[in-house]
Amino acid sequence: MQVRLKYAGIDAAIISDVAQAIGAVADEAADDTFYAVANYTAFPPLVKELDGLKDDDASSIVSHAVTRADGSAVPTDIAPVELSRPLRIVYLYPDALNLYADGGNVIALERRCAWRGIPVRVDEVHMGETLDLTDADIVMMGGGSDRDQLAVAHELLAQKDKVAAYVEDGGTLLAICGGYQLLGRSYYMGENRIEGLGVIAAETVRGSDRLIGNVAVKTDLAPEPFVGFENHGGRTLLDADATPLGTSVVTGTGNNGDDGFEGIIYKGVIGTYLHGPALPKNPELADWLITHALERRGDAQATALLPLKPLDDTYERTAHDAAMKLLP
Ligand code: GLN
């Protein structure tokens, strides 16, 4: 939640008990209302805590106050850098491919560019619209149910040459779960073979059960494992000469639960099963994509932005560590 608010431009402090939370707002205007929102499990302990506070006077509550975040973690007013044209992010089929908030990957990319002053533009492509990848710098496809995935397959197969040309030219593309499966040669649903775009050396076969849960995978892109959540029926097998994104699965199943691999890296393409969305909790992956896109531009202005200016990723690390703690 803290990371989500950060990406919306709001700096939020994490406060771990109700008395401290009330204390933090108790010096605001006296008629302020304090809202405590609890999920099902947290509700009884919250009510108990609120009951316990009934007899406390205001001053003892104020004394619980914690120091509020000072806003420094959310950079604003960054001077724009010169770039021949804004970095163009293309989000394919948000209506069909956006499971587990995969669209958050686009927000993460857009913000991480903006926080560095890199001019950025996001275009959504919807079903029925003609795909134009001529000046695309980063393409994002999320995951979707088999039904939505099938609809997108129909839509994209007719325009498959454009995607293939973009990928072969080194275009940057992030594809999550169903989107990742679509990039392979085929997706078998029992006897039924759904033709894929065939731009990566992989194919997927739907299994009898679903692979669901938190995942952590070691990669060559970051010192810490990448974390996320997977929920897929398809098992993806990479060809022997393909390079996996996750070289070993720490927890979860990854591509298929057998070979210990997760996802794929091919030229500028990252395919992965990590939902969540993946990029806010794994900022190195976001910056790999931005770096790759700027390298492909190749001109002096884009090259001058590399290596990318480091950002304050304290909140992202906290979210990453929280996800790591959920692992069995
Ligand atoms: N339909 C695919 C599967 O279940 C992808 C699901 C997803 O994107 N999470 O294998």
Side-chain angles (χ1 to χ4, degrees), residues 99 143-146 149 176-178 181 187 210 231-234 275:
L99 272 188
S145 66
D146 283 348
Q149 192 173 326
I176 311 293
C177 199
Q181 295 171 351
Y187 178 39
R210 300 193 66 79
N231 181 355
H232 50 110
H275 285 292

Side-chain angles (χ1 to χ4, degrees), residues 48-99:
K48 199 163 161 229
E49 221 182 323
L50 288 173
D51 274 348
L53 289 173
K54 264 186 193 150
D55 300 326
D56 287 8
D57 64 25
S59 61
S60 80
I61 290 177
V62 173
S63 70
H64 285 296
V66 288
T67 324
R68 263 176 262 164
D70 61 5
S72 59
V74 186
T76 48
D77 299 331
I78 307 296
V81 298
E82 290 287 321
L83 206 57
S84 50
R85 55 183 167 78
L87 205 80
R88 181 174 175 237
I89 301 172
V90 178
Y91 180 7
L92 294 188
Y93 312 116
D95 305 334
L97 302 180
N98 183 20
L99 272 188

